[in-house]
Amino acid sequence: MFSRDRWQEIFETIRKNKLRTILSGFTVALGIFIFIVLFGFGNGLKNSFEEFFLDDATNTLWLYPGVTSKAYRGFKDNRRIEFDNSDLIDIQENFAFFLERITPRINRREVLGYKNKSNSYYTRAVTPAHQYIEKTVIMKGRFINQKDLEEKNKNIVIGRLVEQDLFKNENPIGKYVEIKESAFKVVGVFQDKSGDREERLVYLPYTTRQLLEKTNDKIDQIIVSFKPELGYVGALAFERQLRDFFKNKKVIDPSDKSGLYIRNTAEMVKQNQQFAATLQIIVAIVGFGTLIAGIIGISNIMVFVVKERTKELGVRKALGATPISVVGMILHESIFITTISGIFGLLIGVFVLSRLGDQLEQYFILNPYVDTLTAFIATFSLIFFGAVAGYIPAKRAASIKPIVALRDE
Amino acid sequence: MIQINNLHKSYKIGSNSLHVLKGIDLKIDEGELVAIMGSSGSGKSTLLNILGMLDIADDGKYLLDNVLIQDLTETTAANYRNRFLGFVFQSFNLINYKNALENVALPLYYQGLGRKIRQQKALEYLEKVGLKDWATHLPSELSGGQKQRVAIARAMASQPKVLLADEPTGALDSNTSNEVMGLIQKINEEGKTILVVTHEIEIAHMCKRIVTLKDGVIVEDKKTNQTLIDTNV
Ligand SMILES: Nc1ncnc2c1ncn2[C@@H]1O[C@H](COP(=O)(O)OP(=O)(O)OP(=O)(O)O)[C@@H](O)[C@H]1O
Ligand SMILES: [Mg+2]
């Protein structure tokens, strides 16, 4: 069936019918190419999305104090709520069942000076737990530790870009930086994929910060992480109980929405995952649609090719071609062309995707790629359906009486 | 070689049916050169197509070299066409993207012969029709007479028992017609059984026997005084 003679016959036909070959080859190559590129872009979108939203820890609750909007139990409205150290202790004591880690945050803007350079940066006063909650990656040295916290050390951890700004090529670890006329030792440098803003931050122990500010015990925010095994429902329960606890402790009307804010990432994560799933479905639909369009394209061409060859097939049959040999010839030829051009389109598509790399990051397409399995399934389904689409008209052409085929003009 | 009895054929045109062959009886022996004549629409091509197994009769019996041609599968019919029959058409029916040699070699491909032998045999037959030097030319580069000679070489290459020619000179001028008929006579001299459909009386007289059709029946069947063409191709 696939003898050398048959191959020669097919090569000859392909060589001498260039337009037909190019037409069907181009359709398949283009179909696969577009599929690969679109699908790759879709994956790129998904990548940026995950980069943006699924970067931080996903089991956290963020507590922000607000301003009351209702008078309650003898307090007037418009009262500013504040957190302090006792709140941290209360959470640790009352919510041990839910709690994994806890950190306060005290945010200040400070000028950091080193040698003759100085610059203003946001500082965050935190506990060691903060590293896990933000998924901060340490490049050099270490993060704030428990000892820093207890001894209220003047140690800081700086972002990659702070290092770049102030230290250029110097190793900052162990160097002293001036903040408000006192010297702080750099103990670590971190990086963060979330963006430039994150890498221009400076971390210090919150106890040190409170000491600097004349031993007050105020806290700007509290971030807690809950045990992941609690799941979504557990997270909601934790949130509800925290809210009740603090509304009671800070004497806020239970119906007052603005006295205390709690952001629950579990809820966001759920939404984000739904969004990611939607994105995935859109990518799949786009890919599937392209593939269908390609299949319809190659089917039309096959119908056209067989129609165009009707008379030739009649001549071949008059000369003794059996129906099987006619069908075999058409299929062999079409599968050969679609395979070659399909693989060609596949390679070009993969090449283009890999060349694009991160160039489209501004359009939220990050690392576009197509996994090998998807690429091959797509290519082979196009080849397969091209063959099926060719088989039907070929079969019909092979079964009409030679005299009818010969009459075709 | 060929024997048909009471052959009938009708064409369906819409809801009507056109009865074209109305009971043909014909016997042709090996080595005969028969002209089939008749006015346009008398059913000459229909008869030849049935004999060539390109079409199927509605009724009647057809024996080709003592083989009953009846209810054949398309595959068997293809094999019979390939081994028993050679066809020459008025419109040549060469494959336009194949050169003369490849066209002649095509029936040999369907006989399952190897490439070398195909080439060699095809060239041999092209030489027989005087077109060896034109082997690599495409049909579009050949004159009508040359095309028909290639078609004859192609029909002969598979060494069929019978050569069927439907108005082989229909598209040619009288000089080239003579050339082609000379070739047919030469092949007949070598012992091949040949049927030629024509409506030109001169062409018919170059054959040995004339069968005349009218309204779907044979009205005359006579031997001729064959006009021999002296072949100088
Ligand atoms: N496929 C077909 N469908 C319907 N009618 C047909 C078909 N082929 C031929 N006919 C009709 O059958 C009749 C005989 O046709 P045929 O081709 O056998 O005639 P012919 O003797 O070869 O004529 P000509 O000399 O013009 O070639 C004609 O009336 C023709 O119109
Ligand atoms: Mg006719």
Side-chain angles (χ1 to χ4, degrees):
Chain A
M1 179 118 169
F2 291 94
S3 64
R4 209 173 120 234
D5 262 342
R6 171 82 146 267
W7 279 110
Q8 268 163 344
E9 180 72 20
I10 279 153
F11 284 139
E12 209 165 87
T13 320
I14 288 173
R15 209 171 50 239
K16 292 181 175 173
N17 294 279
K18 291 207 178 66
L19 180 68
R20 189 164 82 206
T21 310
I22 289 169
L23 209 63
S24 47
F26 185 72
T27 306
V28 171
L30 191 70
I32 286 294
F33 175 77
I34 294 178
F35 172 82
I36 297 287
V37 170
L38 283 185
F39 205 83
F41 279 11
N43 280 336
L45 270 181
K46 242 175 57 197
N47 281 346
S48 346
F49 178 79
E50 280 167 8
E51 179 101 11
F52 278 145
F53 295 106
L54 306 178
D55 169 38
D56 298 337
T58 55
N59 54 328
T60 54
L61 294 174
W62 301 56
L63 286 77
Y64 307 88
V67 178
T68 57
S69 61
K70 291 179 181 173
Y72 184 60
R73 281 207 254 154
F75 288 104
K76 284 194 196 138
D77 61 354
N78 248 342
R79 176 169 52 99
R80 177 166 295 279
I81 303 296
E82 283 184 311
F83 286 152
D84 58 43
N85 290 355
S86 73
D87 297 328
L88 294 177
I89 295 164
D90 280 344
I91 293 175
Q92 276 161 313
E93 284 178 354
N94 294 303
F95 296 97
F97 171 75
F98 296 102
L99 192 65
E100 188 189 45
R101 293 192 173 86
I102 182 163
T103 181
R105 250 192 202 178
I106 307 168
N107 301 316
R108 297 288 182 272
R109 201 173 176 93
E110 297 280 12
V111 174
L112 271 70
Y114 179 72
K115 288 185 178 165
N116 53 356
K117 269 176 268 169
S118 69
N119 212 342
S120 160
Y121 299 99
Y122 277 107
T123 67
R124 279 181 185 164
V126 297
T127 69
H130 195 281
Q131 184 185 358
Y132 301 95
I133 285 165
E134 273 280 2
K135 288 195 176 156
T136 305
V137 179
I138 292 295
M139 293 165 75
K140 290 175 192 159
R142 60 169 178 83
F143 199 70
I144 305 294
N145 64 19
Q146 199 59 37
K147 196 159 155 277
D148 292 334
L149 215 59
E150 281 158 14
E151 297 175 356
K152 306 183 182 177
N153 289 329
K154 290 185 174 178
N155 287 347
I156 56 170
V157 177
I158 61 174
R160 188 176 60 88
L161 295 178
V162 178
E163 179 195 16
Q164 228 173 61
D165 292 347
L166 297 180
F167 291 91
K168 283 271 149 49
N169 301 322
E170 228 177 301
N171 184 359
I173 304 295
K175 302 277 157 51
Y176 285 87
V177 172
E178 200 178 85
I179 303 175
K180 284 213 179 96
E181 277 136 35
S182 62
F184 280 72
K185 188 162 84 174
V186 178
V187 294
V189 179
F190 69 91
Q191 61 179 24
D192 194 307
K193 283 196 291 179
S194 306
D196 286 5
R197 214 168 50 89
E198 292 283 326
E199 293 190 320
R200 283 222 154 79
L201 283 172
V202 174
Y203 288 109
L204 67 158
Y206 82 99
T207 49
T208 311
R209 164 60 69 199
Q210 288 178 337
L211 181 69
L212 280 180
E213 296 181 352
K214 305 184 179 64
T215 330
N216 85 13
D217 66 349
K218 295 286 179 264
I219 294 171
D220 288 351
Q221 311 160 20
I222 299 172
I223 310 168
V224 295
S225 70
F226 54 86
K227 293 171 183 159
E229 61 269 24
L230 295 175
Y232 181 63
V233 176
L236 290 187
F238 188 19
E239 179 188 338
R240 198 171 51 243
Q241 291 184 28
L242 270 178
R243 195 184 300 280
D244 292 349
F245 177 85
F246 276 106
K247 282 202 168 164
N248 184 41
K249 181 176 173 185
K250 306 283 178 190
V251 202
I252 304 169
D253 187 322
S255 65
D256 188 346
K257 287 210 165 18
S258 59
L260 171 75
Y261 300 99
I262 300 182
R263 185 160 67 98
N264 189 345
T265 53
E267 200 147 4
M268 277 173 49
V269 165
K270 199 178 171 190
Q271 282 171 6
N272 287 351
Q273 276 167 352
Q274 279 168 351
F275 187 67
T278 311
L279 214 56
Q280 177 78 64
I281 291 170
I282 291 171
V283 167
I285 289 174
V286 166
F288 192 68
T290 322
L291 219 52
I292 295 285
I295 289 168
I296 292 172
I298 187 65
S299 310
N300 281 338
I301 288 174
M302 284 315 295
V303 170
F304 166 75
V305 162
V306 173
K307 181 92 193 84
E308 188 211 40
R309 294 183 80 172
T310 303
K311 179 138 189 183
E312 178 200 331
L313 299 178
V315 174
R316 285 178 182 269
K317 291 182 84 176
L319 297 177
T322 57
I324 288 176
S325 81
V326 169
V327 173
M329 179 179 72
I330 291 173
L331 282 193
H332 196 165
E333 188 186 315
S334 86
I335 291 173
F336 179 73
I337 294 173
T338 51
T339 304
I340 295 290
S341 48
I343 290 171
F344 185 71
L346 175 75
L347 292 180
I348 300 263
V350 168
F351 176 75
V352 165
L353 281 189
S354 71
R355 281 304 296 272
L356 282 175
D358 289 344
Q359 286 177 37
L360 294 175
E361 208 174 331
Q362 51 183 325
Y363 303 109
F364 305 109
I365 291 167
L366 187 66
N367 285 325
Y369 76 100
V370 173
D371 57 298
T372 323
L373 186 69
T374 310
F376 274 97
I377 288 177
T379 309
F380 280 100
S381 55
L382 207 55
I383 293 168
F384 177 74
F385 286 108
V388 171
Y391 177 78
I392 295 161
K395 180 86 184 140
R396 201 170 46 215
S399 61
I400 57 175
K401 281 191 286 186
I403 190 64
V404 177
L406 280 169
R407 261 200 294 265
D408 186 83
E409 285 304 338
Chain B
M1 179 59 69
I2 287 176
Q3 193 177 347
I4 51 176
N5 295 106
N6 198 28
L7 202 70
H8 285 267
K9 175 76 183 173
S10 325
Y11 288 115
K12 288 239 149 29
I13 306 164
S15 54
N16 295 332
S17 150
L18 181 68
H19 203 173
V20 179
L21 299 181
K22 304 169 179 166
I24 306 273
D25 296 292
L26 186 62
K27 189 170 179 299
I28 294 168
D29 293 323
E30 193 168 355
E32 279 200 84
L33 174 53
V34 183
I36 297 173
M37 286 208 62
S39 56
S40 187
S42 55
K44 307 182 292 292
S45 297
T46 305
L47 176 62
L48 203 74
N49 290 336
I50 290 169
L51 293 179
M53 296 164 61
L54 299 177
D55 206 349
I56 300 160
D58 298 332
D59 199 8
K61 200 168 126 192
Y62 173 22
L63 284 172
L64 174 62
D65 199 25
N66 295 320
V67 179
L68 182 65
I69 307 300
Q70 200 176 18
D71 298 333
L72 301 181
T73 65
E74 189 47 47
T75 305
T76 319
N79 287 330
Y80 283 6
R81 282 197 288 272
N82 186 238
R83 285 186 293 125
F84 297 160
L85 300 161
F87 242 100
V88 177
F89 304 93
Q90 178 176 356
S91 54
F92 322 124
N93 280 341
L94 298 176
I95 292 177
N96 56 15
Y97 64 84
K98 286 180 176 285
N99 66 29
L101 187 75
E102 292 160 346
N103 262 289
V104 177
L106 196 56
L108 303 173
Y109 170 72
Y110 288 116
Q111 280 186 342
L113 296 180
R115 191 174 180 81
K116 270 246 159 61
I117 303 173
R118 296 204 304 264
Q119 300 264 359
Q120 186 191 320
K121 272 200 165 187
L123 205 58
E124 189 183 306
Y125 278 92
L126 271 183
E127 190 171 14
K128 258 195 180 153
V129 299
L131 289 175
K132 194 182 177 188
D133 296 339
W134 299 82
T136 58
H137 286 245
L138 289 175
S140 55
E141 299 159 355
L142 300 173
S143 73
Q146 287 171 327
K147 278 188 227 183
Q148 199 56 297
R149 274 145 64 195
V150 172
I152 291 170
R154 183 177 67 181
M156 294 304 300
S158 57
Q159 291 171 291
K161 293 181 193 300
V162 179
L163 183 65
L164 303 168
D166 193 353
E167 309 210 26
T169 62
L172 307 176
D173 64 34
S174 63
N175 269 345
T176 33
S177 292
N178 283 354
E179 268 175 37
V180 166
M181 283 312 293
L183 190 60
I184 285 175
Q185 286 180 345
K186 194 176 97 184
I187 294 164
N188 177 246
E189 289 307 306
E190 290 164 8
K192 194 73 63 189
T193 313
I194 304 179
L195 271 77
V196 179
V197 165
T198 181
H199 48 230
E200 292 171 65
I201 191 72
E202 300 83 18
I203 299 292
H205 277 281
M206 294 172 195
C207 301
K208 294 172 177 169
R209 175 181 165 191
I210 301 178
V211 173
T212 309
L213 285 183
K214 196 178 178 215
D215 295 334
V217 289
I218 294 175
V219 290
E220 198 184 344
D221 187 347
K222 64 171 188 202
K223 293 259 184 291
T224 64
N225 257 331
Q226 192 183 19
T227 331
L228 280 174
I229 313 284
D230 59 275
T231 44
N232 49 0
V233 281

